[in-house]
Amino acid sequence: MSGELRSSQWYEAGGVRSFSHRARTRQLGYLPEEHLGKPVVAILNTWSDINPCHSHLRDRAQAVKRGVWQAGGFPLEFPVATLSETFQKPTPMLYRNLLSMETEELLRSYPVDGAVLLGGCDKTTPALLMGATSADLPAIYVPAGPMLPGHWRGEVLGSGTDMWKYWDEHRAGLLGDCELGELENGLARSPGTCMTMGTAATLTAAAEALGVTMPGASSIPAVDSGHERMAAASGLRIVELIRADRRLSSVLTADAFEDAVTTVLGLGGSTNAVIHLIAMAGRAGVSLTLDDFDRLARVVPLLANVRPSGGPYLMEDFHFAGGLPGFLSRITDLLHLDRPTVAHDSLREQLAGALVHNDDVIRPRTRPVASEGGVAVLRGNLCPDGAVIKHIAAEPRLLKHTGPAVVFDDYRTLQRTINDPDLGITEDHVLVLRGSGPKGGPGMPEYGMLPIPEHLLKRGVRDMVRISDARMSGTSYGACVLHVAPESHVGGPLALVRTGDPITLDVPARTLTLDVDAEELERRRREWTPPPERYGRGYGALYSEHITQADAGCDFGFLARQGEVPEPYAG
């Protein structure tokens, strides 16, 4: 067995280098019997003091180690970059590809035979899986799990979703500073990711649907004892995966990605999943496009009655209603059941016996939350390469709407002027933000839920059509058209819009149209000049030179392409 292990090239090849590696392992305090001939498992941990979503992962790493030891493996914990959605600016999306590079190169350059990946906050799931996919070792993902539900004055709160809601109530003058202070203390009560069906829950559910977690892992509450047991089980399982040489490439197939898209749509998940799944699929050599999302959205019913697309339930309710296995059991006819997962030889085997325990949380097919999936893909002269809208979380009256544009060139200008009465904004206007895409943002920040002017909030308006080349939080809601591609920074049509131009959104027809004749648009295009580059050096310059557009997943071109990478010479 030991000669078949990748790590044996470091420890058992003979010569001075192997002697040095063994000597340095003794320096770490390990006996030969503890590691020689055993599968070496890298535990990649995104814990940090500044990431509340992951503040419990230092303890979970110990549970993973426990499982690895029990299975006869040798665990080594590696700290990797933490991408805190709450604190990192301008956006952790700027650094998703950096963590993916760190993951890939760490797994490639050290004496490890497989990996357990600890993450959960929005960008860490795709980043860790993108890097591990490119390295293509046996790997298993341990999701951080959702935090406890929030509470305030008898109300159950959903992080993110209720933050946006009550901040608008405050801006409208309906909620005072004292109440807002109470909300600060009640909104997020424990370690873990957002407990709504935001980006974190969506992406960890997608990871489970892809087959790279233990069954049911994605919805276990972060502080539940079941979460520690799942972490230990993942440690046990990775050793078995290494011994069976079941690499990620055997799990992350085209069928797996189609099932992940189906899952996201049926959950009413975050629009961010569109970008991340396209990027993740690219690393696996699988072609996944916006058209695939649009095709599947028309046949997948929305069954998860979870905020913000459904309601009133949260992720803990979803978990105890049956979690993702229960949910998937209701759409088996839409899934590829004979593909392998990290836990079973087939998804069919993994879902055997899965049940739903609450038909209002996970709806039956005869009583869906909505008849089609929660994301629509739009095309038109304003977004020739596509845009997306979470139409299930918008006011129905806005799904077919024509109105004059009010254009903001950047987010700072929007923040400074949105409440200016001289702009004359009405609820029929279409708010347009540009300069917020992958290059222009930079990093495509979550600016897409543009704030509604205070004078409209005070009149009771809570939704308007809003268009941008930005993203928005998966916990957000509203008639927000996002990911407009190409972005304005590279000369996409969004750069040509002027205040007063009529724009038509038609979600049933899947179109987004700038109602200006082609000759006028061509004249504006000739007059347009590219904005200056934001970065003169450093990682930002690397990012700007290589980032792809939203419809291609915002990966780096040199990482997304297929190609041979040699194994390091360890001798």
Side-chain angles (χ1 to χ4, degrees), residues 194-427:
C194 289
M195 78 300 260
T196 54
M197 190 59 72
T199 303
T202 301
L203 265 296
T204 54
E208 184 175 338
L210 284 168
V212 296
T213 76
M214 297 301 290
S218 63
S219 62
I220 304 172
V223 295
D224 193 298
S225 62
H227 195 270
E228 183 169 351
R229 296 193 298 273
M230 177 271 293
S234 299
L236 284 162
R237 183 58 181 160
I238 188 59
V239 176
E240 297 170 353
L241 291 169
I242 292 168
R243 287 174 171 150
D245 196 28
R246 183 175 293 182
R247 298 169 183 256
L248 278 182
S249 55
S250 69
V251 175
L252 296 178
T253 61
D255 287 348
F257 278 101
E258 183 161 303
D259 288 353
V261 173
T262 298
T263 298
V264 166
L265 294 168
L267 292 171
S270 168
T271 50
N272 287 310
V274 179
I275 291 174
H276 295 313
L277 282 172
I278 288 173
M280 292 160 68
R283 294 297 188 92
V286 172
S287 175
L288 186 66
T289 69
L290 289 176
D291 291 336
D292 294 312
F293 281 85
D294 192 53
R295 170 177 56 86
L296 292 168
R298 297 172 187 270
V299 298
V300 178
L302 174 56
L303 301 182
N305 195 17
V306 179
R307 301 180 218 179
S309 295
Y313 299 106
L314 297 171
M315 286 306 298
E316 187 170 357
D317 304 304
F318 180 80
H319 178 68
F320 290 112
L324 200 71
F327 170 83
L328 294 179
S329 75
R330 295 207 150 158
I331 57 169
T332 52
D333 58 308
L334 303 176
L335 303 175
H336 300 86
L337 297 174
D338 294 321
R339 61 181 176 87
T341 71
V342 297
H344 291 91
D345 291 331
S346 71
L347 181 61
R348 186 188 309 278
E349 180 184 346
Q350 184 158 313
L351 297 180
L355 297 171
V356 174
H357 309 295
N358 188 325
D359 283 344
D360 197 42
V361 179
I362 303 174
R363 294 284 185 87
R365 295 279 282 275
T366 55
R367 192 169 56 89
V369 177
S371 60
E372 62 177 35
V375 174
V377 176
L378 307 174
R379 302 279 184 177
N381 70 341
L382 194 50
C383 54
D385 291 340
V388 300
I389 182 172
K390 194 173 184 176
H391 60 299
I392 201 70
E395 290 189 9
R397 66 181 177 84
L398 296 172
L399 299 183
K400 291 186 70 171
H401 179 83
T402 298
V406 179
V407 180
F408 301 90
D409 285 324
D410 58 76
Y411 192 67
R412 291 185 185 184
T413 301
L414 181 147
Q415 287 180 305
R416 189 176 65 252
T417 63
I418 188 66
N419 297 315
D420 186 349
D422 290 341
L423 293 178
I425 299 175
T426 72
E427 61 189 283

Side-chain angles (χ1 to χ4, degrees), residues 84-122:
S84 175
E85 198 66 34
T86 309
F87 293 102
Q88 194 167 27
K89 306 298 180 186
T91 168
M93 184 64 178
L94 187 66
Y95 302 104
R96 182 200 69 181
N97 297 341
L98 183 62
L99 175 55
S100 80
M101 292 171 68
E102 181 183 18
T103 299
E104 175 181 354
E105 298 307 324
L106 186 152
L107 295 179
R108 196 182 304 282
S109 59
Y110 279 97
V112 299
D113 301 297
V116 179
L117 315 169
L118 275 63
C121 193
D122 296 13

Side-chain angles (χ1 to χ4, degrees), residues 179-201:
E179 291 85 355
L180 210 61
E182 292 176 16
L183 280 162
E184 284 185 16
N185 293 324
L187 195 62
R189 298 172 47 237
S190 78
T193 57
C194 289
M195 78 300 260
T196 54
M197 190 59 72
T199 303

